[in-house]
Amino acid sequence: MSHVAVTGAHGFVGRELVRALQTRGHDVTAIVRHSANAGAINGVREFVMGSAGVSSWPIDLKPETVIHLAARVHVMNESAPDSLGAFRAANVAGALQVAEAAYRAGARRLVFVSSIKALAEADHGRPLREDDLPSPQDSYGVSKLEAERALIHFGKETGFEVVIVRPPLVYGPEVRANFLHLMKALARGIPLPLGAIAARRSLVYNGNLADALVLCATDPRAAGECFHITDGTDLTVSELAKALGHHLRSNVWLAPVPAKWLWAAGKLTGRSQQVERLIGNLRVDSSRIRDVLQWQPPFSVDEGLVVTAEWFRSVYRG
């Protein structure tokens, strides 16, 4: 088994990834900005970067592979005066610094967790493939695409192996943002205007994503590849709401509001992006990792939703 370092190891995906690596017998180092203290995982060495960043990389930290999860994530209400500059500093320059430090330490591979937003916000009639022409629509997506390209260039110059992974929306226990808001609304029995929405959007359960990342970190066939990772089943927004409501043991009322009405309301209220995520298709083709690495998601989408709903009910009982 190998030694794998994980940046962002205390995050939503990072914690699941560390557990998956440990389960498979890998030695894990968590590269973080702040110590987890009570939240640390047994058997995991912790390298706290602090304000010095990866320039303080310890001389004895010599992983074979680094999985880079840490990032400035997409936010709905951006407050930075230079949004793109802030994303570039964290996601492009930050990723390159990690790659350079890992390479100097003797690592052979970096797995970069990008985002489907580096490619597009909608599928335009067919599931998105890895070789489609990129057209990111916001600063987060632009920064992720630029990071991908910078890392690929670094890999070609040095021989350092780079693997790009683009997940769509990730869900699972401890999920936040819009997915959590949806569960809260469903648990309270709040009527939602989703009954007429037929758009399908790809998702990935964090247990499936973690499993795929372990394979990308360790399989020789993954070197130099770009992979999309999904659960393999694309639900409509209304199907997702109904399934979650069932697992939350809630009465679900989805009003059949036409999509064009929601679009008009979004334009009037300045929430066009949020509405587009409800009524627009974003299907992702994840056949490449299945073909190249023979990967299959260990959990079905329904199994992922069950675990997520059980976590929600244990935490948000009121």
Side-chain angles (χ1 to χ4, degrees):
M1 295 301 168
S2 61
H3 178 193
V4 181
V6 179
T7 72
H10 294 161
F12 166 54
V13 175
R15 290 189 295 273
E16 185 67 25
L17 173 59
V18 168
R19 286 189 287 266
L21 286 164
Q22 285 187 304
T23 298
R24 290 157 180 78
H26 298 287
D27 183 22
V28 183
T29 297
I31 301 177
V32 296
R33 289 200 175 276
H34 306 285
S35 176
N37 296 321
I41 303 172
N42 290 334
V44 174
R45 176 187 177 186
E46 200 175 70
F47 161 44
V48 181
M49 292 186 295
S51 59
V54 291
S55 62
S56 61
W57 187 289
I59 192 171
D60 62 335
L61 177 54
K62 297 182 178 297
E64 295 168 60
T65 304
V66 176
I67 303 177
H68 184 47
L69 283 166
R72 187 174 195 267
V73 299
H74 175 76
V75 291
M76 295 304 299
N77 298 308
E78 180 59 62
S79 59
D82 178 9
S83 173
L84 183 54
F87 277 112
R88 279 174 168 157
N91 297 345
V92 184
L96 267 177
Q97 289 167 3
V98 169
E100 290 165 355
Y103 177 70
R104 289 194 301 269
R108 61 178 177 80
R109 176 178 297 182
L110 176 82
V111 179
F112 176 62
V113 182
S114 183
S115 167
I116 200 62
K117 285 178 172 290
L119 190 60
E121 294 277 359
D123 64 39
H124 303 300
R126 65 163 175 78
L128 297 169
R129 296 193 290 259
E130 288 86 350
D131 58 356
D132 284 338
L133 184 66
S135 181
Q137 298 298 304
D138 62 13
S139 297
Y140 172 72
V142 169
S143 71
K144 282 294 192 177
L145 178 62
E146 290 181 355
E148 289 182 13
R149 290 172 170 171
L151 290 170
I152 291 169
H153 179 71
F154 178 76
K156 288 179 178 179
E157 281 194 328
T158 61
F160 190 50
E161 296 177 1
V162 174
V163 184
I164 306 295
V165 172
R166 293 185 187 138
L169 188 150
V170 184
Y171 69 96
E174 301 182 51
V175 68
R176 293 292 182 264
N178 289 340
F179 204 95
L180 178 59
H181 295 325
L182 174 61
M183 286 197 290
K184 286 181 176 179
L186 291 167
R188 294 168 183 163
I190 297 173
L192 299 172
L194 305 177
I197 306 303
R200 293 189 179 274
R201 300 183 72 85
S202 295
L203 307 171
V204 62
Y205 173 52
N206 67 351
N208 287 335
L209 178 56
D211 185 80
L213 288 173
V214 173
L215 191 59
C216 288
T218 57
D219 194 312
R221 296 171 296 178
E225 292 285 353
C226 175
F227 295 122
H228 292 170
I229 314 294
T230 76
D231 287 340
T233 301
D234 300 335
L235 302 177
T236 68
V237 175
S238 57
E239 287 171 345
L240 173 61
K242 290 175 183 176
L244 278 172
H246 172 72
H247 296 314
L248 291 169
R249 303 176 188 175
S250 301
N251 293 321
V252 177
W253 179 23
L254 303 180
V257 178
K260 62 182 180 181
W261 291 11
L262 291 175
W263 178 252
K267 290 189 70 175
L268 288 172
T269 60
R271 296 177 178 270
S272 295
Q273 288 187 349
Q274 293 92 320
V275 172
E276 179 60 32
R277 292 185 180 93
L278 288 176
I279 66 176
N281 286 300
L282 182 54
R283 295 163 298 166
V284 178
D285 185 340
S286 57
S287 62
R288 182 166 182 78
I289 189 171
R290 300 165 196 256
D291 294 340
V292 175
L293 304 185
Q294 285 73 58
W295 178 78
Q296 292 293 330
F299 303 95
S300 69
V301 65
D302 196 61
E303 289 170 330
L305 293 176
V306 167
V307 175
T308 306
E310 288 175 348
W311 161 78
F312 180 90
R313 291 174 56 237
S314 71
V315 174
Y316 295 93
R317 295 176 183 177

